[in-house]
Amino acid sequence: MKKTAGEATVIVGAQFGDEGKGKIIDAMVPEYDAVVRYQGGNNAGHTVVVGSEKFKMHLLPSGVVRKKRSLIAAGVVLDPRVIKQEIDSLAAKGIKVDEHLLGIDFRTQVIFPWHNARDVARETAAGEGKIGTTGRGIGPAYEDRAARTGIRFGEFIDAKTLAAKIASKTAETGAKSGAKTAANEAKKTLGRIYPDSPDAIVPPAEEIAREYSALGAFLKKFACDACLEVNGLLEAGHRVLFEGAQGTLLDNDFGTYPFVTSSHPIAGGACVGAGVSPRAINRIEGVGKAYVTRVGSGPFPTELNDGIGERIREKGAEYGTTTGRPRRVGWLDIPMLRYADYLNGFTGIHLTKLDVLGGINPLKICFEYQLDGGRAGKTKTSVFPMNSGGFGGVGAAEPVYLELPGFPDLPQAEWRKAAAEGVAKGFSALPEKAREYVEKAGELIGVPILSVSVGPERNEIIWAKK
Ligand code: IMP
């Protein structure tokens, strides 16, 4: 491979998603020529605040707000209803999303109503044991991709192919009889696990075909080969930003399985999702909150089920962008970030929502785990103990905390002032104890902290002094 003249940066969620990647990406976009979403779908939710305008997006790459070429790559699962809604709502706010701004790879898998139905039905049937998915059909769409029965964007935008696929897509086992439609297939599966009203949740095939061919006609102009485009951009010396969705601990293989998503949010996911070589990537920047949050079920050793947790949730507005669910909240977990560093190879980390911790005294940081009676041959570990006593059930690993003095609960105007001063002063613009918290976190993770975010606004970021 020829060394490309361009520059590729991957932005990755370092925890369980919702780390504030959208804001960091938005701040970085001006230095880039294109932004690429490489995995996940509308389970993600990015909020970008520009003045009094709040842009909530689930599928569109954050680059659209800055009018930078935005690509949805092959590794994404795309709900056509949702992307149309987002395009329409941006148009209402004066941002015209046309084919010059947005491109969708022809390989991208399309989410259909039977995917949503399967997702919801499975979760309902699981009761207490549910994963707590976003219900957006993400898992089933990726299942169909792996089973090679999915419908890709290139097929979806061709009305004839789409109608034929919907009408005659057969179950892998019933292929020869050719009798089962995709909708029938979904109904049959749903009928087994959700006998009450399968018909109500999967519309008839003809209805799906009608609605989706209209959506296909609308979205057709965005079709592209994002793999070739991205490689071409890099070869020509341009700068490309890869926008990760969800977070490292939700990775399908390396997260807290089975309480994970169905794609690969880790940095390597950018390569397989967009079709670029690992050698093309120059920088990998993690985004982590100054504390930890999680939506949905699964292990969360530093979780706070007390007044402090409640206070952080309220102050940090920790409610899901996609589902509105209250997020679980806990102390900063350094071993989790060290594990994330193994998986991603961070060149730096952006620490977000530091202001939310203002007024809490003392602050705690988990810096290591006490393992189950030393059975693993040692009693402590400084890397997230995924396999201690069977992670995916936390096992007997206990977080060990360091106590740090808190910093004052500053009004937002004060944080804004610190952010403005930070341009010249870097982190020394932070209140002393806040700076100490950031420095301690960076030292324990062993990765440089690149920026600290102290408010939701675009300019409420303090960058480390270069
Ligand atoms: P799914 O991705 O909808 O299948 O959900 C699987 C798990 O990932 C659930 O715990 C979700 O709450 C979580 N999840 C999915 N997307 C996001 C996200 O963008 N932020 C945070 N959690 C997410």
Side-chain angles (χ1 to χ4, degrees), residues 16-19 21 41-46 119 123 131-140 245-247 250 258-263 293-298 322-323 325 327:
F16 293 111
D18 306 320
E19 299 93 348
K21 296 178 289 296
N42 57 311
N43 47 349
H46 295 305
D119 193 355
E123 286 281 277
I131 291 166
T133 71
T134 56
R136 302 297 190 259
I138 306 297
Q246 290 85 48
L250 291 177
F259 303 103
V260 293
T261 192
S262 302
S263 66
T293 63
R294 172 166 209 166
V295 219
S297 322
T322 303
T323 56
R325 287 178 290 177
R327 295 179 184 141

Side-chain angles (χ1 to χ4, degrees), residues 9-16 19 21 38 246-249 265-268 281-289 333-351 442 445-450:
T9 301
V10 186
I11 301 292
V12 182
Q15 295 155 335
F16 293 111
E19 299 93 348
K21 296 178 289 296
Y38 57 86
Q246 290 85 48
T248 298
L249 275 289
I266 58 174
I281 309 296
N282 304 85
R283 287 192 282 161
I284 297 165
E285 300 184 4
V287 183
K289 268 183 197 161
D333 187 329
I334 300 292
M336 182 184 288
L337 294 172
R338 287 173 49 81
Y339 177 60
D341 186 34
Y342 278 0
L343 299 171
N344 294 297
F346 296 133
T347 47
I349 285 186
H350 301 272
L351 209 59
I445 308 163
V447 172
I449 306 290
L450 303 171

Side-chain angles (χ1 to χ4, degrees), residues 223-248:
C224 70
D225 186 329
C227 165
L228 291 193
E229 188 172 331
V230 171
N231 281 286
L233 282 169
L234 290 171
E235 212 166 47
H238 294 291
R239 292 165 64 89
V240 180
L241 191 62
F242 293 88
E243 172 173 8
Q246 290 85 48
T248 298

Side-chain angles (χ1 to χ4, degrees), residues 289-348:
K289 268 183 197 161
Y291 46 95
V292 182
T293 63
R294 172 166 209 166
V295 219
S297 322
F300 188 172
T302 64
E303 183 167 13
L304 283 161
N305 289 308
D306 59 8
I308 298 179
E310 191 55 38
R311 180 170 167 178
I312 296 175
R313 182 177 307 111
E314 291 313 312
K315 193 161 168 212
E318 296 296 355
Y319 293 88
T321 319
T322 303
T323 56
R325 287 178 290 177
R327 295 179 184 141
R328 298 158 68 194
V329 171
W331 294 120
L332 185 63
D333 187 329
I334 300 292
M336 182 184 288
L337 294 172
R338 287 173 49 81
Y339 177 60
D341 186 34
Y342 278 0
L343 299 171
N344 294 297
F346 296 133
T347 47

Side-chain angles (χ1 to χ4, degrees), residues 31 48 61 315 363 365 397:
E31 293 168 33
V48 179
K315 193 161 168 212
L363 290 167
I365 294 181

